[in-house]
Amino acid sequence: MLRLGLLVLFSVTFAFAQRPLTGSAKIQLSLERLQTVGNVLMIAAHPDDENTALLAYFARGRQMRTAYLSLTRGEGGQNLIGSEQGELMGVIRTQELFFSRAIDFGFSKTAAETLAKWDREKVLSDVVYTIRSFQPDVIVLRFSGTPRDGHGQHQASSILGKEAFAAAADPARFPEQKLKPWKAKRLLLNVPSFTPQMQAEAEKMPNKIGLDLGVYDPITGLSFGEVAAISRSQHRSQAMGAREDRGSQKNYFVNVAGDPAASDLLEGVDTTWARVPGSAETAKLLAQAKAAYNPRQPESIVPTLLAARRAMEKLDHPAVADKLRTLDETIADCLGLFVDASADKYYAVPGAPLSVRLLAVNRSPVAVQWNGVTIQSPQAINKPLAAGVNEVVAATVNVPTTQPFTRQYWLAKPKLETMYTIEDQAVLRDAEQPAALHAKFQLTVNGQPLELTRPVWHRYTDRIYGELTRPLVFTPPATVALSEKSFLFADTKPREVSVQITAMQAKAAGVAKLRVPAGWSVQPAGQPFSLGDAAEQTTVKFQVTPPAGESVASISASVEVGGREFALSMLSVEYPHIAPQAVFSEASAKAVRVDVKTLSRKIGYVMGAGDEVPQALRQMGCDVTLLSANDLAASDLKQYDAIVTGVRAFNTRADLRANIQRVYDFAAAGGTVVVQYNVVEGGFWGGNPKILDKAGPYPFTTANERVTVEESPVEFLSTHPLMQKPNRITNKDFEGWVQERGLYFASSFDERYTSLFTMSDPGEKASRGGTLYAPIGKGAYVFSPLSWFRQLPNGVPGAFRIFANLLSAGKP
C-alpha cells in the first residue's frame, strides 16, 4: 500500500469504525500531544503487518505524530467476510488501515521476485517521498529484509525502507520531488517475535532495546496491547480478530542505521517545543492549559488555548500546521462544539443542485458566534450559538457540470500488472480519496476567529447500527453495469447479456448500448430506457453471438443521456466495520468463447468465507443452490449431481463439519464432492488445529504450501480419466491464470487418493497435493486447493474446462 496512513492513531476505534474516542479522555490526550513535537513512521508491506501496539505506544503513550506506511493495499489477500478480490479488496483494506502505488500481487516467496515485479525505483521514490513529506524523527521497520520474514513483499519492505532512509537525506536522489531532504535520527528494526521461539531468540539478541507495550493507560482505561487488539480486530477481511491480552508484552528493537540508541527508542530526539524557533510563549501557554484542565469545566482553559493559538500561528516550522489543526479541534472539544455538513443523499450529479444541512451546536457557556460557512463559495450566517441550542441552516450547492466523477485516485487510471498509475506523487499523502466537498465553518470564540473544516457527507440512521455516515460521491446521471464479470460462451449459440441501469437523478432517459469486438455480434444496436425517480433501476437485454473459434474479448456497456455518453458502473462495498465505499469503474466484462462440457448440471454449493464461484458455475449452464445449515442437516442431497464447498468452508461453517458424513454418503451414492482450499488453524493465530480432520473421506494433511507463480509448469502424472472427459485437459488449459496456481496444498495424503498433477514454484520441489481424486462408493471426492475462486470469476478459459471435469468426477 505505498500509501501513507497519516492517521495519528489518536482516535483508535472501538466496536464501530465510525466511533472515535471522545470527551475528557480525548481532550486530556490532545493537551498532552500539544506539548510534544515529533514524528514516528513504521514501514511494512501490508495493511495487517504493522505492530499496532507499538503505534499505539508512540501515538498514545509518547504523544508523537505516528504513521504507518504500508507498501501495498493488500489486494492479493484472501477475503474472509465477502467475495471481493483484487482492487475491491484493496478498497476494503484501505478503510481498515492506510497505504504506495505498489500492488499486492499475491504471495511472493522471495524479495527478488517482488522487486522484479514491482517498479523498484518508483516504489523507492514513494517511500522517500513519504519520509521527506512526513519528516519522521525515528523510522521503524517491521521486517528484517531476509528470508526469515517469509513473504517476499515483507522482505522487500525492509530492503526499500533501508534504502529510503539514506536516499531521503541525499539531495541528489529524486530531486524532481521538490521536497527538502530529510535525515531521520535513526532507523530501527522491531525484532519479529510472532512465535514463542522467535520471542526467545529475540530475548537473547545482543545490543537490543527492550520495551513493554503492555503498559496500562489510566486515561483510556486500556493498555497499549488492548488498544492494539481492538484496532487489529478491525482487519476483519483478513480474519485478524485478536484477544485483548492484559499485562506485560515485551518487544525488542535493534539499531539498523543512524544514531544508535541505548535504552530509549527516542533517545536524543528533542520532542519539546524547544526545537521550534521562537516557540517559548506557545509552549508556556500550552503547559498552562494542560495544568489548569478540569474535566468538569473544560471550557475554562479555552482563553488560554486561544492565546496559545495566537502565538502558534506566528511560527514558521513544518510541525505547526498539524499542531494548529489539533489545537483547533481541542478548543472545539473543550466547548462541546459540534459542527456538521450533511448532504440529503450520498451522491450528487454534476450540473444539479445538492441540498446540505448545516448544523452547529455549542454545549458550553462560552460566547460563540457562527459567522458563516464556505463550501464552494462563502455563505454568511451571523448567528450566536447559545448554549445547547441546535442551529440549523439549509444550504444549496450548485455542482458545476465540469465536476469530475468520484474515483479512488489509485483506480482512476488503468493500472499496470503490479503498479497503480499515479501521475502526481502528492496524492500519496492521503490514504484514501479526499472528501468530495468540504465545509469550512467560520466562528468567533471570545472575539477570536476559529475555523473548523468538516467533510460534506451523508449522515443517516440505520435501524440496527444507529447513526452512520457515508462519503459523498459525484456520479453520472445514470450508471450502467453488466450482470457478470465474465461471460462464458461454451458453444457457438448466442446468449443473453443483461445490462442494469440505475438513475442517479430524476427523469433519467436515454439509450443503452453494448459494444463487442470484431468477430462478435450484438442485437439490438441500442435499447431505449426511461426512469422516473433517482435510484430507480431497469434492466435491458442484448443477444450476443460469439465467433465459431476460441476467443477472449472485452465487451462494454454505456448509456447516452442528454446527448452525453456515460460508461461507469458503481459498486457499493458495505460492511458493518467500515463506511460504505462507492467504487466506480468502466462498465466492461470479459467474454470467453471456449468449448466447455459438464456432466453435472445441478450443484449444491456450501458457501464459506465468500467467493464468486457459484456465478461462474451458472455461466457453465449449471443450476446452483446455496446450501443452508438446514439443507446440510435435513434436505435430500441426492437431488444434486455435485456438492462443492467454497473457500474456507470448513473453517467458517460448523454446520458443514457437523454434517460432513451426510455429504460423503451423498458421494458414496453416486454424487461428486469437490472441496476447495481451507486454512490450517492452531499455532500462533489460534483456532482449532483439528478443524480439517474430516475435510476428506480419507486422511490427508494440509500445509502452508502454495504455488505463487501463476505461469508455473504443470506436469500431468498420468492419463487419468478425469483429465480426459468430458473435456480433454492439456497444458493450454493452465495458460492465462491470474496471481497464483493455488494455496494450502495437501502435504501428505492417504494412498487411496490419486494426485492428478504436480507443480511448483521455480527452484522448489514439485508438489503433488494440488488436486487429489478418490473414488468413494459409486461416486467421487476431489480436493482441489487451486485458486478457482480467482480463475473462474476472472474468466480464465481453461479453468472452466478443468473445473467442469472435477464436477463430473462421479459420473460414469
Side-chain angles (χ1 to χ4, degrees):
M1 294 168 72
L2 268 183
R3 268 187 106 197
L4 179 59
L6 284 184
L7 182 71
V8 211
L9 291 189
F10 205 65
S11 56
V12 173
T13 56
F14 290 82
F16 230 73
Q18 299 189 19
R19 188 72 66 178
L21 187 69
T22 58
S24 61
K26 181 186 178 187
I27 295 172
Q28 180 71 48
L29 291 172
S30 297
L31 291 171
E32 292 181 2
R33 183 180 174 219
L34 285 166
Q35 318 297 313
T36 307
V37 181
N39 303 332
V40 173
L41 176 67
M42 176 173 281
I43 299 175
H46 306 113
D48 53 8
D49 289 340
E50 80 287 356
N51 183 340
T52 323
L54 181 64
L55 295 174
Y57 163 78
F58 278 124
R60 288 281 186 87
R62 301 296 290 269
Q63 306 306 329
M64 302 288 283
R65 187 170 177 238
T66 306
Y68 172 48
L69 171 62
S70 172
L71 298 192
T72 75
R73 295 178 184 272
E75 303 89 341
Q78 288 84 51
N79 187 354
L80 194 69
I81 60 175
S83 59
E84 293 86 357
Q85 298 294 332
E87 295 172 355
L88 293 179
M89 187 67 169
V91 170
I92 295 173
R93 299 187 75 177
T94 294
Q95 289 298 297
E96 295 174 330
L97 252 191
F98 319 93
F99 323 87
S100 135
R101 74 186 84 184
I103 295 175
D104 175 4
F105 54 82
F107 190 86
S108 170
K109 294 180 178 178
T110 67
E113 181 198 19
T114 295
L115 295 173
K117 287 198 170 189
W118 286 346
D119 186 323
R120 179 174 181 153
E121 197 69 3
K122 283 186 178 179
V123 178
L124 175 60
S125 174
D126 287 349
V127 182
V128 169
Y129 186 91
T130 296
I131 293 173
R132 287 175 174 172
S133 58
F134 187 61
Q135 298 185 345
D137 296 291
V138 172
I139 300 173
V140 182
L141 301 175
R142 192 68 175 108
F143 298 105
S144 65
T146 67
R148 180 184 178 86
D149 300 331
H151 201 316
Q153 293 175 19
H154 292 170
Q155 301 174 50
S157 73
S158 179
I159 293 170
L160 293 172
K162 294 171 187 176
E163 292 182 18
F165 176 81
D170 185 352
R173 301 298 305 275
F174 308 109
E176 70 279 2
Q177 293 179 352
K178 295 182 171 54
L179 293 173
K180 292 181 179 179
W182 178 259
K183 183 173 178 57
K185 185 76 171 178
R186 66 180 53 92
L187 178 67
L188 297 165
L189 169 65
N190 182 188
V191 180
S193 54
F194 302 116
T195 65
Q197 179 183 351
M198 295 174 76
Q199 180 72 13
E201 292 173 358
E203 291 172 354
K204 296 176 182 177
M205 291 184 68
N207 304 318
K208 64 182 179 295
I209 304 169
L211 179 63
D212 188 355
L213 297 178
V215 175
Y216 177 73
D217 179 8
I219 294 177
T220 61
L222 298 166
S223 69
F224 302 126
E226 289 174 278
V227 171
I230 293 168
S231 175
R232 180 158 288 275
S233 294
Q234 293 300 317
H235 290 296
R236 297 185 186 178
S237 65
Q238 298 303 288
M240 299 298 286
R243 186 177 62 206
E244 296 174 26
D245 289 331
R246 284 83 180 169
S248 179
Q249 295 182 24
K250 292 300 287 285
N251 269 235
Y252 297 97
F253 303 81
V254 293
N255 296 288
V256 176
D259 295 347
S263 58
D264 181 8
L265 304 186
L266 298 178
E267 194 170 295
V269 177
D270 185 355
T271 61
T272 72
W273 279 95
R275 68 193 287 179
V276 180
S279 63
E281 180 67 11
T282 298
K284 182 183 76 172
L285 290 166
L286 290 173
Q288 289 176 358
K290 179 175 178 292
Y293 173 59
N294 179 352
R296 289 296 180 184
Q297 290 183 307
E299 71 278 2
S300 64
I301 64 170
V302 167
T304 307
L305 293 176
L306 290 171
R309 196 190 195 289
R310 290 193 297 271
M312 190 185 296
E313 62 188 0
K314 298 174 184 177
L315 304 177
D316 182 16
H317 190 273
V320 170
D322 174 67
K323 293 301 180 188
L324 280 172
R325 286 190 292 269
T326 300
L327 181 52
D328 289 344
E329 294 301 328
T330 304
I331 293 170
D333 288 336
C334 288
L335 295 169
L337 181 59
F338 179 83
V339 294
D340 184 63
S342 177
D344 63 339
K345 53 185 181 294
Y346 72 87
Y347 55 89
V349 176
L354 173 69
S355 296
V356 178
R357 179 180 183 266
L358 303 171
L359 169 67
V361 55
N362 168 27
R363 292 170 285 186
S364 79
V366 176
V368 179
Q369 175 78 13
W370 185 7
N371 302 315
V373 68
T374 300
I375 299 181
Q376 287 183 323
S377 58
Q379 177 179 342
I381 293 176
N382 298 321
K383 286 188 175 187
L385 296 181
V389 177
N390 282 351
E391 293 292 351
V392 178
V393 174
T396 300
V397 177
N398 294 309
V399 183
T401 56
T402 56
Q403 174 67 49
F405 304 131
T406 300
R407 303 286 295 269
Q408 281 78 8
Y409 70 76
W410 63 97
L411 301 178
K413 294 186 178 298
K415 65 177 181 178
L416 303 176
E417 183 180 359
T418 61
M419 299 284 289
Y420 290 119
T421 302
I422 302 292
E423 296 180 346
D424 181 5
Q425 208 166 23
V427 301
L428 297 176
R429 298 187 185 205
D430 294 311
E432 59 182 335
Q433 184 69 17
L437 291 173
H438 284 93
K440 297 182 178 179
F441 290 78
Q442 290 92 31
L443 306 129
T444 301
V445 180
N446 277 358
Q448 184 170 325
L450 178 70
E451 184 173 270
L452 299 174
T453 300
R454 298 290 182 265
V456 178
W457 49 20
H458 176 57
R459 188 178 292 275
Y460 63 104
T461 302
D462 183 275
R463 294 291 296 274
I464 296 174
Y465 295 108
E467 183 177 281
L468 301 174
T469 60
R470 70 178 295 166
L472 174 70
V473 295
F474 293 120
T475 75
T479 60
V480 57
L482 289 156
S483 57
E484 304 289 345
K485 290 173 59 176
S486 63
F487 291 90
L488 173 66
F489 293 78
D491 51 37
T492 59
K493 297 177 183 177
R495 63 163 294 182
E496 187 176 83
V497 172
S498 298
V499 175
Q500 185 182 76
I501 303 162
T502 303
M504 306 308 292
Q505 67 179 23
K507 299 180 180 179
V511 177
K513 299 177 182 178
L514 187 68
R515 290 181 172 82
V516 298
W520 297 66
S521 63
V522 60
Q523 289 292 332
Q527 289 277 34
F529 68 91
S530 180
L531 297 170
D533 297 330
E536 190 174 315
Q537 294 181 332
T538 189
T539 298
V540 296
K541 301 181 185 299
F542 297 86
Q543 288 290 321
V544 176
T545 302
E550 292 187 0
S551 174
V552 177
S554 178
I555 59 177
S556 60
S558 65
V559 290
E560 184 178 298
V561 179
R564 295 179 62 193
E565 189 169 17
F566 304 96
L568 286 181
S569 65
M570 183 180 75
L571 176 66
S572 187
V573 180
E574 301 186 25
Y575 290 101
H577 70 302
I578 63 173
Q581 299 296 299
V583 181
F584 292 88
S585 60
E586 304 303 319
S588 62
K590 183 184 285 188
V592 179
R593 166 67 188 99
V594 62
D595 289 331
V596 179
K597 301 174 183 177
T598 180
L599 303 180
S600 291
R601 291 293 180 180
K602 193 165 185 182
I603 312 298
Y605 199 90
V606 184
M607 184 63 74
D611 58 65
E612 297 176 341
V613 172
Q615 297 95 305
L617 300 184
R618 294 185 181 106
Q619 294 278 328
M620 292 163 53
C622 297
D623 177 8
V624 182
T625 299
L626 297 183
L627 299 182
S628 66
N630 185 64
D631 292 331
L632 288 171
S635 71
D636 180 11
L637 300 180
K638 292 180 181 178
Q639 63 184 295
Y640 303 108
D641 296 313
I643 292 176
V644 180
T645 67
V647 299
R648 297 192 182 187
F650 280 86
N651 298 108
T652 61
R653 294 283 296 267
D655 57 309
L656 170 63
R657 301 192 299 270
N659 293 286
I660 192 60
Q661 190 55 52
R662 292 192 77 234
V663 175
Y664 295 150
D665 290 345
F666 153 80
T672 300
V673 173
V674 179
V675 172
Q676 298 181 74
Y677 94 87
N678 292 278
V679 177
V680 181
E681 295 191 4
F684 174 71
W685 295 113
N688 179 7
K690 296 183 177 296
I691 207 165
L692 303 183
D693 283 359
K694 295 184 178 180
Y698 315 118
F700 68 83
T701 301
T702 300
N704 190 18
E705 292 184 8
R706 59 180 77 197
V707 177
T708 64
V709 178
E710 59 269 32
E711 304 90 357
S712 292
V714 176
E715 180 182 349
F716 294 84
L717 292 177
S718 66
T719 56
H720 194 280
L722 199 55
M723 294 291 99
Q724 303 300 314
K725 294 180 180 179
N727 306 288
R728 186 172 181 274
I729 306 303
T730 68
N731 278 305
K732 182 180 179 182
D733 292 302
F734 286 95
E735 295 177 0
W737 282 44
V738 297
Q739 184 163 318
E740 61 198 356
R741 288 294 191 201
L743 61 171
Y744 299 103
F745 285 13
S747 56
S748 62
F749 46 88
D750 188 280
E751 62 184 9
R752 284 169 284 189
Y753 289 108
T754 298
S755 174
L756 299 183
F757 32 69
T758 66
M759 58 185 70
S760 67
D761 280 328
E764 295 188 354
K765 181 181 177 181
S767 172
R768 300 174 62 243
T771 298
L772 305 178
Y773 163 83
I776 175 171
K778 298 178 181 179
Y781 168 90
V782 177
F783 170 66
S784 186
L786 302 186
S787 58
W788 304 112
F789 69 103
R790 297 193 196 280
Q791 314 311 322
L792 293 171
N794 279 286
V796 176
F800 286 109
R801 290 167 45 82
I802 301 170
F803 206 83
N805 281 25
L806 302 186
L807 291 176
S808 307
K811 296 293 183 181

